[in-house]
Amino acid sequence: MPLLNEQIKILLELQKIDAEIYRDKKELAKVPELQKKLEADFEKKKSRLRSAEEQSKALQLKQKQKEGDLQTKEEKIKKLQGQLYQLKSNKEYTAMDLEIKGLKADDSLLEEEILRLLDEADQAKTAFTKEKDLLAAEEKKMKNDLAALDQEAEGIRARLAEAEEKRKAFTPNLDPKLITQYERVLKTRDGLAVVPVKNNSCGGCHLGLPPQVVHEVRLQEKLMTCEDCARILYWPA
Ligand SMILES: [Zn+2]
């Protein structure tokens, strides 16, 4: 095994690779979340389209119902008008004439309502068509974004495999115990396990170090760690 200060130098090289691995793993973990969000956003837009479609259909149905009502009333008017001249008394005539007038008044209200519904149904249909076109564009965009993320993940995975391969070259010259310690700290300290002493403080968490610790680090004879963050300390050359 090389001397401790030599091993620390090797660790620092290893740490450069491991910092990249740490960053890449973090990026890679984000990809499925981003993809899920894209899909969820699209589903929301899809449900907006469904409600626009339902509204359009409901208005068309209502308009048809009113047209049916109008037809029924018009038939009734015709029927009553046919009967009108067969009536014997004036009283009966006046009563039926009044009924016909009432039905005609209802009719013109219905006609107005049908026109209004036609207008509304038209607008709803336009809104639906517009929403549909928008959604088609959105779907295309979402699929592209999903594919781009897949590609990005693939790139990261390739980089990670390369880095894992590269780091193998460093380990034969390191004390296995030191590697274990280094890797443990690396995991808990955001990919930064070996730090220099700077202004008598830990270069990782910036805690002030006791003079004895600083002295020991400087001697480079035994492995020194920060009491607070457990990072491995070295004396910068
Ligand atoms: Zn520290």
Side-chain angles (χ1 to χ4, degrees):
M1 270 310 129
L3 289 170
L4 183 63
N5 64 335
E6 285 304 317
Q7 289 198 55
I8 296 259
K9 272 182 201 157
I10 297 168
L11 265 191
L12 283 172
E13 288 306 307
L14 184 61
Q15 181 166 259
K16 279 182 200 161
I17 298 170
D18 284 337
E20 278 170 32
I21 290 177
Y22 178 83
R23 268 198 304 272
D24 277 346
K25 280 186 175 168
K26 227 170 150 181
E27 281 300 305
L28 193 60
K30 274 190 218 156
V31 170
E33 281 168 47
L34 290 171
Q35 289 181 323
K36 244 186 240 167
K37 196 184 172 300
L38 281 174
E39 281 163 343
D41 285 350
F42 181 70
E43 279 307 311
K44 252 188 241 163
K45 283 168 190 159
K46 225 160 128 182
S47 79
R48 222 168 53 201
L49 179 72
R50 271 196 296 273
S51 73
E53 187 177 23
E54 275 159 24
Q55 206 189 354
S56 169
K57 277 187 178 156
L59 280 166
Q60 280 171 26
L61 189 72
K62 208 169 162 192
Q63 179 210 330
K64 287 223 167 71
Q65 279 168 351
K66 295 284 172 191
E67 276 169 354
D69 288 354
L70 183 67
Q71 208 182 348
T72 311
K73 284 217 163 74
E74 277 173 350
E75 276 159 15
K76 198 169 177 194
I77 291 170
K78 260 186 207 153
K79 200 175 141 205
L80 290 178
Q81 277 171 337
Q83 289 168 2
L84 198 59
Y85 296 99
Q86 295 158 22
L87 294 174
K88 294 186 175 79
S89 73
N90 254 345
K91 201 180 162 192
E92 278 173 318
Y93 183 92
T94 313
M96 194 176 275
D97 190 44
L98 209 65
E99 196 184 345
I100 290 170
K101 277 183 180 140
L103 284 169
K104 280 184 173 167
D106 285 354
D107 261 12
S108 62
L109 281 179
L110 263 176
E111 273 164 3
E112 265 172 45
E113 206 181 341
I114 287 166
L115 280 177
R116 189 176 55 76
L117 282 168
L118 255 172
D119 203 36
E120 274 180 42
D122 243 24
Q123 280 175 19
K125 203 177 168 189
T126 309
F128 168 65
T129 311
K130 201 172 145 194
E131 201 72 62
K132 206 171 152 184
D133 290 347
L134 268 175
L135 196 76
E138 289 282 355
E139 186 168 22
K140 204 173 157 192
K141 188 180 174 297
M142 178 199 60
K143 282 183 177 163
N144 281 341
D145 289 351
L146 285 177
L149 281 168
D150 275 339
Q151 214 172 1
E152 196 186 318
E154 209 177 297
I156 295 174
R157 272 191 288 266
R159 224 160 48 218
L160 275 171
E162 212 175 288
E164 294 286 358
E165 198 53 45
K166 225 156 102 188
R167 81 189 295 285
K168 278 185 196 161
F170 295 87
T171 45
N173 295 320
L174 293 169
D175 180 349
K177 266 199 226 155
L178 181 61
I179 297 178
T180 309
Q181 187 175 356
Y182 161 80
E183 284 179 347
R184 199 176 51 228
V185 181
L186 201 67
K187 260 183 208 149
T188 54
R189 298 293 171 202
D190 296 345
L192 184 67
V194 190
V195 293
V197 171
K198 264 189 211 159
N199 305 321
N200 299 329
S201 302
C202 164
C205 69
H206 310 297
L207 182 85
L209 299 164
Q212 184 58 31
V213 172
V214 177
H215 180 67
E216 296 272 13
V217 175
R218 203 166 186 169
L219 286 179
Q220 303 186 358
E221 277 166 5
K222 68 177 193 191
L223 190 71
M224 297 301 292
T225 57
C226 169
E227 226 178 85
D228 193 46
C229 68
R231 287 187 176 99
I232 296 163
L233 298 166
Y234 72 94
W235 190 257

